[in-house]
Amino acid sequence: MPTFAAIDIGSNSCRLKIASVVQHKLKTLYEDREVTRLGESVFQTGVISPESMANTIKALKRFHKAVQLHVVDKVRVVATSAMRDARNASAFREWVRSATGWDVEVISGIEEGRLIHLGVVTYEPGAKGSCVLIDLGGGSCEVTVSHGGRVKQMVSLPLGAVRLQQEFLQVDPPGKEDIARLRQFIHRELARAERKLGKPKVQLVIATSGTAAALAEGSMAVAAKLPVRKTPPKQFVRIKPQEAATPYVRKLADKLLKMNKLQREAVPGIGPRRSEIIVGGAQVYAALLERFELPGFRYSPLGLRDGMLAQMLGEVDLRTEVHKKIEDERWAGVLEVCHRYGIALKTAEPVRLHATQLFDALAKVHELPPEYRTWLQAAAMMQEVGKFMSHQGHHRHTQYIIANSEIPGFSPEQRAIVSAIARYLGKSRPDPLDRVMRAVPVEEHQHVIRAGVLLRLAAALNQDRASAVVGLKTSVYPKRIVLDIVPGRGGAELEGWALKKEADYFFEVFRRELFVEVA
């Protein structure tokens, strides 16, 4: 069974998790973490500093050795807030590629939240009911309202611990004016979140990441009324708390404002590195829990890398529950795009059905990977969203909308593939030098071209929208393909004419003649 590796390049730290598939479930083999503060300079200057780059590359090289040692079959590397903001992100991605051979995928805040949600609801007890998920990282904070294991609402806020430290808390301990500016900024961002999320009526709040772990342990010390030390103890007695109540989180957050770094280190759960960035994160948690009238939170060690691994499992093992969940998320995302851009499902659905029918019937001809069935279906549903902008040149608009929309379950690369399939339905043909095709990995070019031909045939089968849908029978021979059309209520002359126009291009791509017969 395959072995996967998930690498999360965060604004504060880099994390690695390696897991193998055992009886349709993931078994963790190895974990590693390194604090690299990639976002520290980004939130001040807008660029990643050479020092931060070097530290991160050093950690990634160590991860690379572990990946090789465990003979990993598939590696996914994602980067989050700092890389989203950095002007020199492309230079860093090239450095990573030259040092490790890995391609870094910069994901949006919403996709980050979706993957965290996927990891938590898949593995955290009780998370499949109604709950709120909070993940406060180095650069951003994702808040998700979940019900029945599905995302209901989500917001990504620029309230990461490293970002707040760099922008508001340069003096230790912070002054009154710095604290006032910090609280005002947090208040503004949480007001924006409240407008979208409302006040969720849930009893379970799950918080992930290092800030939540530190606050959970520190708030227990506050609840137990432990005295504040002036210096860290020689040896910590580590405890693993599960929950933190809102009043104690607020009390701890306010205490941290008055402490210097050495005093913060002495608080249980807050080590030397965390003490440098805990103040802003604590204020966010306290304000968020109070504003949304939440009782507190339960800490979970799960996070982004667990969602990445769950996604990889679901994409290769079709028998898993997570596979169905990912497919449901993707389909809901596609339908949301269709709804947003005024696509009538009664006209889009027949195109999808014909595209699927052609994909299955011509499997030995097109030889596309199984995942292209999903990419083709998505392209079929969204192939006319560009008409929302303009009928003229709508295929170009369609490509742009699909490639740049947040569609849950589709990575940027996958959206690029779907958008390219939907792009070339008019007179133009795919060209490797086109801007659209340059966004698609070279090894996928031939697949995109072949899937595009199938979509052209499906679109040709749906010319007369006022008539009933035509039927289709496909016959495959060594040198030719025969499409037998069963006319709908209004006949099938238009569809037959449109299909015959595709015969030359079909032969160019598949080296087989295309014959169309109307019953």
Side-chain angles (χ1 to χ4, degrees):
M1 296 300 288
T3 301
F4 303 128
I7 298 170
D8 166 18
I9 303 177
S11 303
N12 181 54
S13 61
C14 291
R15 298 170 184 265
L16 163 70
K17 192 167 189 177
I18 300 174
S20 63
V21 181
V22 179
Q23 296 182 339
H24 310 291
K25 294 183 179 180
L26 289 172
K27 179 183 178 182
T28 301
L29 302 178
Y30 181 81
E31 291 187 77
D32 197 359
R33 175 179 181 270
E34 183 70 35
V35 176
T36 57
R37 296 279 161 83
L38 191 69
E40 197 166 53
S41 59
V42 174
F43 306 135
Q44 279 187 316
T45 65
V47 297
I48 305 170
S49 69
E51 294 79 13
S52 296
M53 281 193 188
N55 290 338
T56 305
I57 292 294
K58 184 178 178 181
L60 293 177
K61 284 182 176 179
R62 189 174 80 230
F63 293 177
H64 188 261
K65 289 180 181 178
V67 166
Q68 290 181 315
L69 182 65
H70 288 85
V71 196
V72 170
D73 297 288
K74 184 178 180 180
V75 182
R76 186 179 182 188
V77 185
V78 305
T80 54
S81 184
M83 288 284 281
R84 290 195 291 267
D85 292 359
R87 295 196 300 272
N88 59 343
S90 59
F92 178 68
R93 291 175 69 182
E94 287 300 323
W95 193 356
V96 174
R97 186 180 291 112
S98 65
T100 64
W102 295 333
D103 287 318
V104 179
E105 182 185 334
V106 181
I107 59 174
S108 68
I110 297 300
E111 177 64 6
E112 182 181 355
R114 187 195 69 82
L115 286 170
I116 293 167
H117 174 266
L118 180 63
V120 172
V121 299
T122 302
Y123 303 113
E124 181 73 18
K128 292 182 180 178
S130 295
C131 63
V132 170
L133 308 184
I134 306 170
D135 181 83
L136 190 147
S140 64
C141 175
E142 282 68 45
V143 184
T144 306
V145 180
S146 176
H147 180 71
R150 295 189 177 187
V151 174
K152 289 300 180 184
Q153 292 285 350
M154 183 190 298
V155 65
S156 180
L157 307 169
L159 296 177
V162 176
R163 183 189 298 272
L164 296 178
Q165 185 69 29
Q166 292 303 310
E167 292 188 4
F168 299 100
L169 303 170
Q170 292 294 302
V171 180
D172 186 39
K176 290 182 179 180
E177 291 184 0
D178 291 335
I179 294 171
R181 285 198 302 271
L182 170 67
R183 285 177 167 166
Q184 186 178 10
F185 181 72
I186 293 171
H187 173 82
R188 188 190 75 188
E189 292 300 322
L190 292 182
R192 181 165 68 88
E194 187 179 4
R195 286 193 293 272
K196 183 171 183 180
L197 306 179
K199 282 188 166 59
K201 302 298 181 183
V202 299
Q203 291 302 310
L204 177 60
V205 180
I206 299 174
T208 60
S209 81
T211 297
L215 291 177
E217 190 166 343
S219 64
M220 282 191 70
V222 170
K225 298 182 179 179
L226 297 179
V228 175
R229 294 173 176 266
K230 292 185 178 181
T231 58
K234 292 182 180 179
Q235 184 175 2
F236 278 109
V237 178
R238 303 299 296 179
I239 57 176
K240 294 184 178 179
Q242 291 293 313
E243 298 181 353
T246 299
Y248 296 122
V249 174
R250 166 54 71 190
K251 194 171 182 179
L252 175 61
D254 290 345
K255 279 190 173 185
L256 292 173
L257 286 172
K258 302 172 185 176
M259 297 178 180
N260 59 33
K261 181 181 180 298
L262 202 61
Q263 291 171 323
R264 293 193 297 271
E265 283 183 39
V267 177
I270 303 175
R273 299 306 301 271
R274 183 65 54 182
S275 67
E276 297 170 358
I277 60 171
I278 190 67
V279 175
Q283 287 296 312
V284 172
Y285 265 102
L288 192 156
L289 294 171
E290 290 172 346
R291 187 176 193 99
F292 289 96
E293 299 174 4
L294 300 170
F297 67 79
R298 185 174 85 193
Y299 168 68
S300 171
L302 299 167
L304 177 58
R305 60 207 178 281
D306 298 283
M308 294 162 62
L309 290 169
Q311 176 110 13
M312 286 190 275
L313 171 64
E315 288 177 347
V316 300
D317 192 339
L318 307 187
R319 295 171 59 185
T320 59
E321 182 182 340
V322 72
H323 170 76
K324 184 179 184 304
K325 177 173 174 53
I326 292 168
E327 291 302 306
D328 288 346
E329 283 184 347
R330 281 175 174 158
W331 188 243
V334 169
L335 292 179
E336 169 60 27
V337 172
C338 291
H339 175 74
R340 190 184 311 151
Y341 294 100
I343 299 298
L345 297 186
K346 67 179 181 180
T347 59
E349 187 65 19
V351 182
R352 183 188 72 86
L353 291 174
H354 278 133
T356 306
Q357 189 177 349
L358 288 164
F359 184 94
D360 295 340
L362 300 176
K364 292 182 179 180
V365 178
H366 59 65
E367 297 179 328
L368 289 169
E371 61 268 22
Y372 268 77
R373 193 174 192 267
T374 300
W375 308 159
L376 179 61
Q377 290 174 331
M381 290 296 293
M382 299 184 289
Q383 45 115 4
E384 291 194 334
V385 295
K387 289 183 178 179
F388 183 86
M389 299 174 68
S390 172
H391 279 257
Q392 185 175 2
H394 73 270
H395 298 308
R396 293 196 306 274
H397 303 319
T398 292
Q399 185 278 325
Y400 179 84
I401 288 172
I402 295 174
N404 293 281
S405 293
E406 286 283 359
I407 310 177
F410 289 88
S411 68
E413 181 181 299
Q414 291 165 350
R415 291 201 308 271
I417 290 172
V418 173
S419 72
I421 294 172
R423 166 65 182 90
Y424 299 101
L425 298 183
K427 295 179 180 179
S428 60
R429 299 289 185 265
D431 187 313
L433 299 180
D434 284 351
R435 175 187 57 82
V436 174
M437 294 301 287
R438 289 202 307 270
V440 176
V442 174
E443 62 271 19
E444 300 292 341
H445 280 196
Q446 195 61 36
H447 295 154
V448 166
I449 292 170
R450 294 186 170 208
V453 173
L454 298 182
L455 184 54
R456 291 178 71 95
L457 296 180
L461 281 162
N462 291 272
Q463 295 292 307
D464 188 357
R465 300 185 178 194
S467 302
V469 177
V470 300
L472 176 66
K473 179 185 175 184
T474 306
S475 301
V476 179
Y477 300 98
K479 293 184 178 181
R480 71 185 192 278
I481 306 296
V482 179
L483 301 181
D484 289 297
I485 302 175
V486 180
R489 186 173 59 250
E493 289 77 12
L494 202 57
E495 284 76 12
W497 168 78
L499 282 170
K500 289 173 182 176
K501 287 176 62 179
E502 299 296 334
D504 289 343
Y505 187 39
F506 187 92
F507 182 80
E508 180 185 327
V509 173
F510 294 114
R511 312 311 298 175
R512 299 196 195 200
E513 292 187 272
L514 179 69
F515 292 93
V516 181
E517 297 179 1
V518 180

